[in-house]
Amino acid sequence: MVANDGTSAVRRTPVLEEVYSGAPSRLNDEAEKTYSRMLSNKTLAKTETRKTGLRLPPDTTLEDFQRAISDLQSKVGAEHVQVNDKPLDDGWYLDHPKTHDCHHIIDQEALVASAVVYPGSTADVQTIVRWANITGYPIYPISLGRNLGYGGAAPRVPGSIVIDLGRRMHKIIDIDADNASCVVEPGVTYFRLYEEIQKRGLPLWIDTPDLGGGSLLGNAIDRGVGYTPYGDHWANHCGMEVVLPNGELLRTGMGALPGPNGKDNPTWQSFQHAYGPSVDGIFSQSNFGIVVSMGFWLMPEVSNQSYCFTFPNEDDFEQIVDAIRPLAQQRILGNIPQLRHVVQELAVTGRRKSDFHSGSAPMTLKEIRAAASKLPLGDCSWVFYGTQYGPPEAIAQQLDVIKAAFSKIPGSRFFLPKDVPDDHYLHSRAKVCAGTPVLRELDWLNWMPNGGHLSFSPIAPTKGSDARIIHDIITKAYSRHGYDRFSTLCVAGREMHYIAEIVYDRGDPDAKLRAVKCMREMIAECAEYGFGEYRTHLLFQDQVARTYSWGDQALMRFNETLKDSLDPNGILAPGRNGIWPKKYRGKGWELGPEDIDMKVIGPKIK
Ligand code: ADP
């Protein structure tokens, strides 16, 4: 069997010991179960033919494209460049495609690559970038391409050449146990780093997002988060090596100062800055460079205790958010806790919506609570998942303070992992919050047949009154467009990430259209209150970027100035994060609030 990334996978669920992007064998049973469940809930047939065939880069002919691809093959090896002219296969999380957005929210063939190239070294990446400057073709770097809900491996400009960095560049370059840090290439997953640390017996934690198959580097660049005290992945990176759009190489932070005898600088992973402007930031959520290696701080392992609280009423969330604020500001809460709507308790069991509800309308709150009352945490509206860290006595004291704060909300209840069955989500949460990567979060995709998800992720102040505004906007939009609420609030001391998932059937064009409408409206309505998204799917990046419009789009004009200066030929990920190079600007590539039915992405046919 040939896997979606072209490597030969012999099992149904790729295993880390055989494939760099697989899951560790300790998770075999879970992975097989998840895969079978996904298959049994799949009604979409595997496509046998492409409707539109090979999508070329803009403004080229087939002959020129073929000539340019042969040239690239001669430079990096014929077997390391694959033209994307075969039927598209959405695969699944552990065997995902690099050819398109597998959680497609418009037509499956709309956001596609013309070819995928697999560099084996930094020199290869430089070669590809120089080639792109000559051909003028857009290139689009990914590390693992598991950015699901935000566009996966897809490029913003259809027909771009995707650079799959991870497939051949997946070395753990260094783990420094004394400095508690590491340096990795783009293809190193959370699973991989975790297993390596275990193998070496080091007393270190990694910080993992909800799923462990992503790239440390790719996730940090897109400013993803995890759940230990080191959960802000960008804030905990230290030093990068970057290929610039002209093919030159740059080291950031202390790496800019050469170490003795040609070695790397000894403080590269100890201090984040160099001398002068801090430039690292311009390489995150941008299209200004291709990061080929990156350093990260690792957390020394520590004893910990996960727990959850339930709250009975739908309207309790304002009070909960206000209770969290001082606890978080005083750093009594050990990590960024999650406040999840109880509908997630149903979905994370891996059961289908149809098990709880007949028909396609959203579940009513009454139905949700009736179903939840049969689950281990019982009847409730919200569940708070937290973890405390430190010596046991310190944890006990912290928990006393937290319990005292939450007990002011009538009807709140406290649970430890020992209070719930072994298969309850709290156990999986406890693992993630102690740096052990898992797969459990895939279970809620089973809610719908052919389950895909689209993430709406605005930021608001940690205040009950703001939580009320944002929650109302989102729940009204969900019900206007016939979607179940799927809300998780990641609440820090001063701001909260409100993560609203839209879980939809990839085989239902009407559901997809409603999801797009829902997104466009939520973005616009939240912006009216000053709430902006921290991250978004490719198709919404123009709209989101342009809500940050203070000073007549001063921020965007600054980004465009940087883009035009660093990438005058406009070859690197045009349109990524809403930043378009001069060559593309004002030619109808930008997608705004009115773009709902995005049948084709591109200016000519629009
Ligand atoms: P993950 O699989 O960890 O979720 P991805 O590889 O999908 O991460 O990366 C997320 C996004 O970040 C990509 O779509 C791309 O825009 C950007 N990105 C990823 N890796 C790099 C890189 N090495 N250099 C520049 N941008 C990158």
Side-chain angles (χ1 to χ4, degrees):
M1 171 187 163
V2 176
N4 251 322
D5 75 347
T7 52
S8 53
V10 283
R11 310 168 57 90
R12 297 198 320 164
T13 57
V15 191
L16 185 61
E17 290 76 1
E18 292 162 8
V19 190
Y20 79 98
S21 56
S25 46
R26 72 181 159 87
L27 293 175
N28 268 353
D29 291 350
E30 192 179 331
E32 288 283 323
K33 214 164 84 192
T34 308
Y35 181 67
S36 306
R37 196 151 49 187
M38 186 275 300
L39 276 189
S40 71
N41 205 6
K42 190 169 174 212
T43 60
L44 269 175
K46 213 169 158 164
T47 31
E48 300 301 339
T49 50
R50 290 265 288 268
K51 293 192 295 281
T52 49
L54 170 66
R55 181 75 189 249
L56 293 173
D59 306 323
T60 193
T61 62
L62 183 60
E63 295 70 44
D64 283 350
F65 175 73
Q66 285 169 334
R67 208 172 305 122
I69 289 291
S70 301
D71 179 40
L72 184 61
Q73 286 176 322
S74 72
K75 289 180 157 90
V76 298
E79 69 279 28
H80 303 313
V81 186
Q82 278 173 4
V83 173
N84 180 22
D85 53 4
K86 313 270 176 324
L88 301 176
D89 179 357
D90 289 341
W92 74 295
Y93 184 75
L94 283 179
D95 185 17
H96 65 299
K98 311 293 174 63
T99 46
H100 67 290
D101 180 7
C102 56
H103 283 208
H104 35 90
I105 192 66
I106 53 175
D107 190 282
Q108 186 199 33
E109 294 187 23
L111 284 179
V112 283
S114 59
V116 186
V117 54
Y118 308 101
S121 64
T122 297
D124 274 357
V125 177
Q126 292 176 284
T127 301
I128 296 163
V129 169
R130 291 188 176 120
W131 169 87
N133 274 293
I134 293 165
T135 60
Y137 292 168
I139 49 178
Y140 191 89
I142 57 162
S143 289
L144 252 294
R146 282 186 174 139
N147 206 12
L148 305 184
Y150 294 110
R156 172 61 176 84
V157 171
S160 297
I161 289 87
V162 163
I163 308 178
D164 178 357
L165 296 152
R167 179 164 157 192
R168 295 174 66 214
M169 295 175 71
H170 49 251
K171 269 200 299 292
I172 297 172
I173 298 171
D174 187 35
I175 300 177
D176 181 336
D178 296 327
N179 195 50
S181 63
C182 66
V183 184
V184 293
E185 287 191 332
V188 176
T189 62
Y190 297 97
F191 283 141
R192 190 58 208 299
L193 184 63
Y194 174 82
E195 296 300 323
E196 184 62 28
I197 288 173
Q198 303 314 304
K199 203 164 93 193
R200 296 191 197 180
L202 299 173
L204 294 173
W205 280 1
I206 64 161
D207 185 279
T208 175
D210 295 295
L211 291 166
S215 148
L216 268 92
L217 197 151
N219 184 283
I221 286 174
D222 212 24
R223 297 209 283 272
V225 296
Y227 302 98
T228 74
Y230 284 38
D232 181 341
H233 293 166
W234 181 253
N236 286 289
H237 95 275
C238 195
M240 297 192 282
E241 189 168 283
V242 188
V243 174
L244 297 175
N246 63 2
E248 279 180 20
L249 205 55
L250 172 79
R251 283 188 173 187
T252 69
M254 295 303 285
L257 196 161
N261 305 319
K263 292 201 187 118
D264 293 342
N265 187 292
T267 41
W268 197 9
Q269 271 64 59
S270 305
F271 186 66
Q272 288 173 317
H273 311 289
Y275 179 75
S278 180
V279 298
D280 287 51
I282 69 162
F283 298 107
S284 114
Q285 289 196 358
S286 76
N287 45 16
F288 300 155
I290 301 178
V291 184
V292 286
S293 68
M294 198 159 170
F296 288 95
W297 290 332
L298 301 169
M299 178 164 157
E301 72 180 14
V302 60
S303 58
N304 56 94
Q305 178 66 63
S306 288
Y307 57 93
C308 67
F309 283 90
T310 60
F311 301 92
N313 302 312
E314 188 65 21
D315 287 340
D316 284 340
F317 69 91
E318 283 185 52
Q319 229 186 318
I320 305 169
V321 166
D322 283 330
I324 294 173
R325 189 178 56 249
L327 294 172
Q329 286 180 0
Q330 293 161 33
R331 307 243 159 112
I332 290 169
L333 289 173
N335 64 350
I336 305 286
Q338 282 198 343
L339 180 63
R340 295 162 75 104
H341 192 267
V342 68
V343 73
Q344 307 246 23
E345 282 294 300
L346 306 183
V348 85
T349 59
R351 290 170 65 190
R352 302 173 186 186
K353 178 181 178 182
S354 53
D355 290 347
F356 304 105
H357 172 93
S358 54
S360 57
M363 284 179 80
T364 63
L365 289 175
K366 215 168 135 201
E367 282 177 307
I368 294 171
R369 286 185 61 170
S373 67
K374 300 191 186 113
L375 297 178
L377 298 183
D379 182 16
C380 63
S381 293
W382 293 95
V383 188
F384 172 100
Y385 284 98
T387 303
Q388 300 307 125
Y389 302 88
E393 323 74 69
I395 290 179
Q397 284 172 356
Q398 293 157 11
L399 279 177
D400 285 346
V401 178
I402 295 164
K403 282 182 191 167
F406 285 143
S407 67
K408 294 193 181 122
I409 301 169
S412 66
R413 293 192 299 142
F414 176 74
F415 297 84
L416 287 169
K418 67 177 170 53
D419 302 326
V420 293
D422 286 349
D423 63 352
H424 189 268
Y425 179 66
L426 180 53
H427 296 285
S428 152
R429 199 76 220 143
K431 285 198 181 114
V432 169
C433 293
T436 305
V438 296
L439 284 171
R440 176 73 191 260
E441 213 79 23
L442 286 173
D443 288 356
W444 50 260
L445 280 178
N446 216 38
W447 192 244
M448 300 301 290
N450 312 302
H453 72 113
L454 182 64
S455 311
F456 177 63
S457 320
I459 304 284
T462 303
K463 289 184 184 155
S465 50
D466 289 302
R468 162 63 67 193
I469 295 170
I470 203 162
H471 183 68
D472 282 354
I473 291 174
I474 290 169
T475 47
K476 281 182 191 154
Y478 273 142
S479 72
R480 243 188 347 266
H481 297 291
Y483 273 103
D484 289 304
R485 56 186 73 205
F486 247 85
S487 303
T488 297
L489 286 71
C490 300
V491 190
R494 295 178 181 83
E495 63 75 32
M496 53 186 187
H497 289 43
Y498 190 127
I499 312 293
E501 295 289 356
I502 299 178
V503 184
Y504 62 94
D505 177 351
R506 274 176 281 189
D508 179 349
D510 174 62
K512 290 160 91 168
L513 201 65
R514 285 187 282 113
V516 171
K517 274 192 199 145
C518 188
M519 278 291 278
R520 295 257 182 247
E521 289 172 12
M522 291 192 295
I523 295 167
E525 284 177 44
C526 280
E528 282 174 28
Y529 289 91
F531 305 145
E533 287 66 61
Y534 91 101
R535 186 181 186 190
T536 195
H537 184 282
L538 283 176
L539 292 171
F540 304 92
Q541 292 180 350
D542 290 321
Q543 185 184 357
V544 165
R546 277 154 193 79
T547 60
Y548 289 79
S549 62
W550 187 89
D552 191 20
Q553 298 287 348
L555 180 61
M556 182 50 75
R557 281 185 283 113
F558 180 75
N559 287 336
E560 287 172 352
T561 305
L562 288 178
K563 180 69 179 164
D564 291 341
S565 139
L566 292 169
D567 184 10
N569 295 320
I571 47 108
L572 187 57
R576 171 89 197 154
N577 298 100
I579 305 166
W580 292 94
K582 202 184 244 151
K583 184 171 160 186
Y584 289 78
R585 281 203 293 276
K587 300 199 170 134
W589 283 97
E590 297 89 346
L591 295 167
E594 70 292 351
D595 287 290
I596 306 291
D597 187 8
M598 295 172 276
K599 283 224 161 46
V600 181
I601 305 298
K604 294 188 194 73
I605 319 158
K606 217 180 134 184

